Amino acid sequence: MEKQKGVILNIGPVHPATHGVLKLIADLEGDTIDNIKVEIGFLHRGKEKMAEMRYFSNYYPIVDKLDYVSALQMEILFASVVEKAAGIEIPPRAVYIRTIMAEIQRIMSHLVFVGSFGMDVGNYTGFIWAFREREELMTVVEAISGGRLAPMYICNGGTFYDLPENFSYMLSPVLDRIEKKVKNEYATLFQKNNVFIMRSKSVGIIDKQLVKQLGITGPNMRAAGIERDIRRIDPYLAYEEMEFEVPTEEDGDAYSRFLIRIREIIESIKIIRQAMKKLPAGSYKKPVPWLLKIPAKYTLVRHEVSKGEMAMHMVTDGGMMPYRLKIRSPTFFSLKALEKVLVGSRIADIVAVIASIDPVMGEVDR
Amino acid sequence: MPSKVVDALKDSFKDNVTVLSDNGVEDVIVLSDKKLLKEAAKLIKKIHDIVFLITVVDRNPTFEIGYVFSNYVDKSILNLRVNIMQDDLSIDSITSVFPSADWEEREAYDMFGIKFNGHPSLKRILLPEDWPGHPLRKDFKVTDDVRNWTGLDLKF
């Protein structure tokens, strides 16, 4: 008798567990996955084309929506590219403000990860708690910049506004509270929670070899035991003067990827505290003309954003707009790992593994 | 400090390689013949682990393909640029040497219509299968085909 063929299951693009509009096509045999394909592109908005039609100062609202849970880091990355290409030195206070904002944003992004990962493996309390902590930081960001999700705070030459005077009174208690919660409450909720550990431990193992094969970077890479961080090996902003650890885990499973983010939150808090202490006085912005002309050249800048090594490669031709802007998205590379690691696992693990990679489709599809 | 990988490339390809920058941190080289790309990739693989990104620049009538290679050890990167002409938009795929180039090459095909010979599945990645044209080309025009595209002809 001919062997009964399995079922093809379409997961997404609109499904709460796919974190946006990711589509998976799974070939099932029972509830085991024989083969799986990843489809992306449902959130493609043509941002690279849009860059070719806008002045260097007018592209910020668009980079904001690249990785919409870490918008400030996107703004800082684009500002760095333009400033490097145009040869603009920003004042030291602006460097420190940007460092603080980048780390606040990293904590917020990792809290979204913790929350949504928790929710996807059935820990709804984790979701509510993580978003509660994130909300406090959101309030701080709102007080600083006026925006919450898309702050529009960074501009060519520095930042749009100075930090408010009561800034450290606002931020310090929030950091203390988050540190306490992450170290104690989250440990009880996640690391000592048997159900959570059963759902995430030795699930979706991305080992060193696969990382190097696919070009995965960021926390997903560090979870596999490779110690590498652009902030450490090629310091930008004020990271050279900061003391922080680069956490690594050995196993490369979903649980290690979770632990890495938890430990990075603690490191980010450390960095913000140091930067607040060292925050230099002076100007927060170097006056830069709104319309810039940048000579013909290639500029490549890479930053360690919350998802990994993000880069922008800008080609200019002497005009007032980029001739070509290529955006390197870290998750674009990480997502391909799903096709490898999910083969042979159960349907229920799909959700846990997707969440552990932390995809934000805005940045993948651009 | 001159970089090892640039020296190795210069030794094997002699005049076919033009070195624009050789500081061991951000090396830039231009390969004059696209047929040598795969050989060059094999040499680069000894030092660099991944294709960090592929930037295609449309400089009508040439298309410039810029590969950026990176590794997991230090901060050094290598820019390798190859020019291809518009009447023959094809180049060897390097996915067999660098598996990380897979989706980047698909994206370049999607946005610029460059054929990567030997790519395992060269399909569109970000745009729908039946999208008219390659939008990141400089001569892309929003035609009626684009304006009236509904996606209803797609088969699921």
Side-chain angles (χ1 to χ4, degrees):
Chain A
M1 210 177 95
E2 203 186 318
K3 196 184 157 226
Q4 182 95 31
K5 272 265 167 96
V7 182
I8 292 178
L9 181 69
N10 287 291
I11 306 165
V14 185
H15 185 279
T18 57
H19 293 230
V21 283
L22 172 67
K23 186 181 175 189
L24 301 173
I25 304 167
D27 230 333
L28 298 176
E29 187 69 58
D31 71 345
T32 313
I33 297 157
D34 263 0
N35 191 15
I36 192 158
K37 268 203 304 205
V38 180
E39 267 190 26
I40 61 172
F42 295 93
L43 202 59
H44 180 63
R45 293 148 293 173
K47 283 185 186 293
E48 290 176 6
K49 187 77 180 176
M50 279 193 233
E52 295 169 12
M53 308 170 188
R54 272 165 178 77
Y55 302 127
F56 295 106
S57 311
N58 294 7
Y59 192 55
Y60 287 94
I62 293 164
V63 278
D64 258 348
K65 283 101 186 169
L66 263 177
D67 181 351
Y68 39 78
V69 299
S70 56
L72 278 161
Q73 290 182 330
M74 305 294 117
E75 288 178 15
I76 293 168
L77 176 57
F78 182 67
S80 309
V81 179
V82 173
E83 282 152 10
K84 188 179 171 193
I88 299 167
E89 280 256 335
I90 60 169
R93 187 174 172 86
V95 173
Y96 271 80
I97 295 177
R98 283 186 184 182
T99 314
I100 293 173
M101 297 312 278
E103 291 309 314
I104 291 180
Q105 191 72 73
R106 191 185 310 275
I107 299 176
M108 282 160 69
S109 170
H110 283 348
L111 282 173
V112 171
F113 166 82
V114 170
S116 49
F117 188 39
M119 188 170 71
D120 283 349
V121 297
N123 196 343
Y124 199 75
T125 318
F127 178 76
I128 302 288
W129 283 12
F131 273 66
R132 177 187 64 193
E133 265 76 83
R134 177 170 175 260
E135 185 59 36
E136 294 188 0
L137 279 175
M138 277 279 214
T139 317
V140 176
V141 171
E142 191 182 2
I144 294 169
S145 69
R148 288 162 58 86
L149 210 58
M152 271 297 291
Y153 183 55
I154 313 293
C155 65
N156 294 340
T159 59
F160 269 115
Y161 329 101
D162 202 355
L163 292 174
E165 266 176 27
N166 60 348
F167 166 70
S168 60
Y169 294 101
M170 219 159 38
L171 187 54
S172 305
V174 174
L175 291 181
D176 294 344
R177 201 148 55 230
I178 291 178
E179 190 179 18
K180 216 171 78 193
K181 301 258 185 204
V182 168
K183 276 185 177 160
N184 305 317
E185 285 187 12
Y186 285 25
T188 327
L189 195 62
F190 294 101
Q191 283 109 299
K192 291 177 193 162
N193 181 341
N194 273 339
V195 179
F196 176 80
I197 289 172
M198 274 159 60
R199 285 296 308 273
S200 59
K201 214 156 199 171
S202 45
V203 164
I205 296 174
I206 301 178
D207 56 9
K208 264 184 202 169
Q209 208 193 344
L210 193 59
V211 165
K212 288 188 176 174
Q213 193 187 337
L214 299 179
I216 299 172
T217 48
N220 295 332
M221 165 192 72
R222 289 192 281 275
I226 300 174
E227 193 183 335
R228 176 187 168 83
D229 193 322
I230 296 287
R231 292 177 289 173
R232 174 61 55 78
I233 61 164
D234 188 9
Y236 55 98
L237 294 180
Y239 289 116
E240 204 159 16
E241 291 137 53
M242 303 293 158
E243 272 174 37
F244 61 98
E245 268 176 55
V246 179
T248 52
E249 295 284 334
E250 285 307 313
D251 300 338
D253 55 0
Y255 184 66
S256 323
R257 290 197 282 280
F258 170 82
L259 283 186
I260 287 282
R261 263 100 178 185
I262 287 283
R263 289 170 63 190
E264 281 192 14
I265 292 177
I266 305 290
E267 297 304 320
S268 291
I269 291 173
K270 263 196 229 164
I271 295 174
I272 298 175
R273 284 199 182 123
Q274 292 170 47
M276 271 160 62
K277 233 178 245 157
K278 290 182 185 168
L279 186 68
S283 167
Y284 58 92
K285 183 182 182 179
K286 185 183 178 183
V288 171
W290 189 257
L291 298 180
L292 282 172
K293 263 194 179 170
I294 298 182
K297 60 161 92 167
Y298 297 80
T299 319
L300 175 71
V301 172
R302 32 176 197 170
H303 280 182
E304 183 81 29
V305 302
S306 55
K307 309 286 183 298
E309 288 171 26
M310 188 147 183
M312 284 194 187
H313 196 191
M314 189 164 75
V315 182
T316 41
D317 64 342
M320 295 199 285
M321 302 172 197
Y323 189 75
R324 168 95 171 93
L325 181 78
K326 162 80 188 176
I327 301 163
R328 196 252 188 201
S329 142
T331 322
F332 188 75
F333 289 81
S334 312
L335 271 183
K336 223 175 86 200
L338 289 180
E339 288 178 356
K340 311 256 176 186
V341 299
L342 281 176
V343 174
S345 59
R346 300 288 180 83
I347 300 180
D349 291 340
I350 295 180
V351 179
V353 177
I354 295 176
S356 75
I357 282 182
D358 193 14
V360 171
M361 297 313 286
E363 163 226 38
V364 178
D365 295 341
R366 286 158 286 164
Chain B
M1 199 181 76
S3 102
K4 258 190 249 164
V5 62
V6 173
D7 288 344
L9 284 166
K10 263 198 294 197
D11 284 348
S12 350
F13 298 115
K14 309 263 171 357
D15 294 345
N16 285 318
V17 166
T18 319
V19 180
L20 298 182
S21 154
D22 180 15
N23 54 12
V25 180
E26 198 172 336
D27 309 322
V28 185
I29 60 167
V30 179
L31 200 63
S32 62
D33 190 353
K34 67 177 184 180
K35 290 192 188 95
L36 299 173
L37 179 69
K38 216 161 175 180
E39 290 300 307
K42 277 176 193 156
L43 268 179
I44 295 165
K45 181 75 178 175
K46 286 177 188 157
I47 308 265
H48 289 295
D49 296 312
I50 59 167
V51 170
F52 192 65
L53 56 87
I54 295 176
T55 313
V56 185
V57 187
D58 178 359
R59 297 185 193 278
N60 213 344
T62 55
F63 279 69
E64 185 185 276
I65 309 185
Y67 296 84
V68 177
F69 299 95
S70 146
N71 60 36
Y72 284 104
V73 184
D74 53 23
K75 62 176 177 177
S76 67
I77 52 176
L78 170 70
N79 282 282
L80 183 131
R81 294 185 196 133
V82 190
N83 284 309
I84 61 175
M85 299 302 289
Q86 187 162 29
D87 44 15
D88 178 24
L89 279 183
S90 68
I91 192 164
D92 282 339
S93 164
I94 53 167
T95 36
S96 52
V97 188
F98 287 97
S100 46
D102 184 353
W103 280 13
E104 284 288 290
E105 285 183 354
R106 278 177 69 185
E107 195 192 318
Y109 165 70
D110 194 351
M111 297 298 168
F112 291 91
I114 292 162
K115 297 236 162 30
F116 289 90
N117 302 326
H119 189 283
S121 66
L122 196 63
K123 288 185 299 181
R124 284 180 179 270
I125 185 162
L126 293 177
L127 295 173
E129 295 277 315
D130 65 342
W131 184 263
H134 300 284
L136 274 180
R137 284 191 190 179
K138 292 288 177 188
D139 58 3
F140 178 78
K141 291 266 173 355
V142 181
T143 55
D144 280 354
D145 272 355
V146 176
R147 214 171 278 124
N148 299 331
W149 182 88
T150 56
L152 293 178
D153 304 331
L154 279 179
K155 289 192 189 85
F156 288 99

PDB file of all heavy atoms in Angstrom, chain A residues 72-84:
ATOM      1  N   LEU A  72      14.893  53.761  18.625  1.00  0.00           N
ATOM      2  CA  LEU A  72      15.987  54.703  18.880  1.00  0.00           C
ATOM      3  C   LEU A  72      17.304  54.177  18.328  1.00  0.00           C
ATOM      4  O   LEU A  72      18.124  54.930  17.810  1.00  0.00           O
ATOM      5  CB  LEU A  72      16.119  54.946  20.382  1.00  0.00           C
ATOM      6  CG  LEU A  72      15.154  55.977  20.956  1.00  0.00           C
ATOM      7  CD1 LEU A  72      15.043  55.809  22.443  1.00  0.00           C
ATOM      8  CD2 LEU A  72      15.606  57.366  20.619  1.00  0.00           C
ATOM      9  N   GLN A  73      17.503  52.857  18.426  1.00  0.00           N
ATOM     10  CA  GLN A  73      18.748  52.300  17.906  1.00  0.00           C
ATOM     11  C   GLN A  73      18.815  52.420  16.392  1.00  0.00           C
ATOM     12  O   GLN A  73      19.880  52.628  15.827  1.00  0.00           O
ATOM     13  CB  GLN A  73      18.864  50.837  18.334  1.00  0.00           C
ATOM     14  CG  GLN A  73      19.121  50.707  19.809  1.00  0.00           C
ATOM     15  CD  GLN A  73      19.286  49.272  20.239  1.00  0.00           C
ATOM     16  OE1 GLN A  73      18.714  48.379  19.638  1.00  0.00           O
ATOM     17  NE2 GLN A  73      20.057  49.055  21.273  1.00  0.00           N
ATOM     18  N   MET A  74      17.678  52.333  15.735  1.00  0.00           N
ATOM     19  CA  MET A  74      17.650  52.516  14.288  1.00  0.00           C
ATOM     20  C   MET A  74      18.023  53.960  13.940  1.00  0.00           C
ATOM     21  O   MET A  74      18.798  54.214  13.035  1.00  0.00           O
ATOM     22  CB  MET A  74      16.258  52.219  13.735  1.00  0.00           C
ATOM     23  CG  MET A  74      15.704  50.875  14.067  1.00  0.00           C
ATOM     24  SD  MET A  74      16.603  49.543  13.313  1.00  0.00           S
ATOM     25  CE  MET A  74      17.198  48.703  14.760  1.00  0.00           C
ATOM     26  N   GLU A  75      17.444  54.908  14.700  1.00  0.00           N
ATOM     27  CA  GLU A  75      17.758  56.322  14.455  1.00  0.00           C
ATOM     28  C   GLU A  75      19.241  56.582  14.652  1.00  0.00           C
ATOM     29  O   GLU A  75      19.881  57.276  13.862  1.00  0.00           O
ATOM     30  CB  GLU A  75      16.959  57.216  15.410  1.00  0.00           C
ATOM     31  CG  GLU A  75      15.493  57.282  15.084  1.00  0.00           C
ATOM     32  CD  GLU A  75      14.738  58.143  16.080  1.00  0.00           C
ATOM     33  OE1 GLU A  75      15.372  58.895  16.832  1.00  0.00           O
ATOM     34  OE2 GLU A  75      13.509  58.051  16.097  1.00  0.00           O
ATOM     35  N   ILE A  76      19.803  56.026  15.728  1.00  0.00           N
ATOM     36  CA  ILE A  76      21.224  56.250  16.019  1.00  0.00           C
ATOM     37  C   ILE A  76      22.076  55.661  14.904  1.00  0.00           C
ATOM     38  O   ILE A  76      23.055  56.277  14.472  1.00  0.00           O
ATOM     39  CB  ILE A  76      21.583  55.641  17.389  1.00  0.00           C
ATOM     40  CG1 ILE A  76      20.884  56.410  18.498  1.00  0.00           C
ATOM     41  CG2 ILE A  76      23.085  55.644  17.612  1.00  0.00           C
ATOM     42  CD1 ILE A  76      20.925  55.753  19.840  1.00  0.00           C
ATOM     43  N   LEU A  77      21.701  54.494  14.418  1.00  0.00           N
ATOM     44  CA  LEU A  77      22.472  53.864  13.340  1.00  0.00           C
ATOM     45  C   LEU A  77      22.449  54.741  12.090  1.00  0.00           C
ATOM     46  O   LEU A  77      23.495  55.013  11.490  1.00  0.00           O
ATOM     47  CB  LEU A  77      21.894  52.477  13.037  1.00  0.00           C
ATOM     48  CG  LEU A  77      22.497  51.705  11.874  1.00  0.00           C
ATOM     49  CD1 LEU A  77      23.990  51.521  12.066  1.00  0.00           C
ATOM     50  CD2 LEU A  77      21.841  50.357  11.715  1.00  0.00           C
ATOM     51  N   PHE A  78      21.272  55.225  11.711  1.00  0.00           N
ATOM     52  CA  PHE A  78      21.207  56.050  10.502  1.00  0.00           C
ATOM     53  C   PHE A  78      21.963  57.357  10.689  1.00  0.00           C
ATOM     54  O   PHE A  78      22.690  57.806   9.799  1.00  0.00           O
ATOM     55  CB  PHE A  78      19.750  56.321  10.112  1.00  0.00           C
ATOM     56  CG  PHE A  78      19.634  57.131   8.847  1.00  0.00           C
ATOM     57  CD1 PHE A  78      20.041  56.580   7.635  1.00  0.00           C
ATOM     58  CD2 PHE A  78      19.159  58.420   8.861  1.00  0.00           C
ATOM     59  CE1 PHE A  78      19.968  57.321   6.467  1.00  0.00           C
ATOM     60  CE2 PHE A  78      19.082  59.165   7.692  1.00  0.00           C
ATOM     61  CZ  PHE A  78      19.481  58.610   6.492  1.00  0.00           C
ATOM     62  N   ALA A  79      21.813  57.953  11.884  1.00  0.00           N
ATOM     63  CA  ALA A  79      22.548  59.196  12.144  1.00  0.00           C
ATOM     64  C   ALA A  79      24.048  58.962  12.035  1.00  0.00           C
ATOM     65  O   ALA A  79      24.780  59.784  11.469  1.00  0.00           O
ATOM     66  CB  ALA A  79      22.184  59.737  13.521  1.00  0.00           C
ATOM     67  N   SER A  80      24.519  57.818  12.556  1.00  0.00           N
ATOM     68  CA  SER A  80      25.954  57.527  12.498  1.00  0.00           C
ATOM     69  C   SER A  80      26.438  57.392  11.062  1.00  0.00           C
ATOM     70  O   SER A  80      27.538  57.832  10.738  1.00  0.00           O
ATOM     71  CB  SER A  80      26.265  56.234  13.245  1.00  0.00           C
ATOM     72  OG  SER A  80      25.717  56.267  14.523  1.00  0.00           O
ATOM     73  N   VAL A  81      25.616  56.778  10.219  1.00  0.00           N
ATOM     74  CA  VAL A  81      26.022  56.618   8.818  1.00  0.00           C
ATOM     75  C   VAL A  81      26.161  57.988   8.162  1.00  0.00           C
ATOM     76  O   VAL A  81      27.169  58.284   7.521  1.00  0.00           O
ATOM     77  CB  VAL A  81      24.995  55.764   8.047  1.00  0.00           C
ATOM     78  CG1 VAL A  81      25.409  55.627   6.608  1.00  0.00           C
ATOM     79  CG2 VAL A  81      24.859  54.411   8.652  1.00  0.00           C
ATOM     80  N   VAL A  82      25.140  58.833   8.350  1.00  0.00           N
ATOM     81  CA  VAL A  82      25.165  60.151   7.711  1.00  0.00           C
ATOM     82  C   VAL A  82      26.334  60.966   8.249  1.00  0.00           C
ATOM     83  O   VAL A  82      27.074  61.599   7.485  1.00  0.00           O
ATOM     84  CB  VAL A  82      23.826  60.879   7.952  1.00  0.00           C
ATOM     85  CG1 VAL A  82      23.898  62.307   7.440  1.00  0.00           C
ATOM     86  CG2 VAL A  82      22.703  60.148   7.277  1.00  0.00           C
ATOM     87  N   GLU A  83      26.538  60.911   9.565  1.00  0.00           N
ATOM     88  CA  GLU A  83      27.619  61.713  10.145  1.00  0.00           C
ATOM     89  C   GLU A  83      28.986  61.213   9.711  1.00  0.00           C
ATOM     90  O   GLU A  83      29.889  62.004   9.462  1.00  0.00           O
ATOM     91  CB  GLU A  83      27.496  61.722  11.670  1.00  0.00           C
ATOM     92  CG  GLU A  83      26.413  62.678  12.141  1.00  0.00           C
ATOM     93  CD  GLU A  83      25.807  62.263  13.456  1.00  0.00           C
ATOM     94  OE1 GLU A  83      26.343  61.347  14.094  1.00  0.00           O
ATOM     95  OE2 GLU A  83      24.774  62.849  13.822  1.00  0.00           O
ATOM     96  N   LYS A  84      29.146  59.892   9.607  1.00  0.00           N
ATOM     97  CA  LYS A  84      30.429  59.367   9.152  1.00  0.00           C
ATOM     98  C   LYS A  84      30.681  59.774   7.700  1.00  0.00           C
ATOM     99  O   LYS A  84      31.790  60.170   7.330  1.00  0.00           O
ATOM    100  CB  LYS A  84      30.448  57.847   9.285  1.00  0.00           C
ATOM    101  CG  LYS A  84      31.823  57.248   9.024  1.00  0.00           C
ATOM    102  CD  LYS A  84      31.814  55.737   9.190  1.00  0.00           C
ATOM    103  CE  LYS A  84      33.108  55.131   8.713  1.00  0.00           C
ATOM    104  NZ  LYS A  84      33.040  53.671   8.577  1.00  0.00           N
TER     105      LYS A  84
END
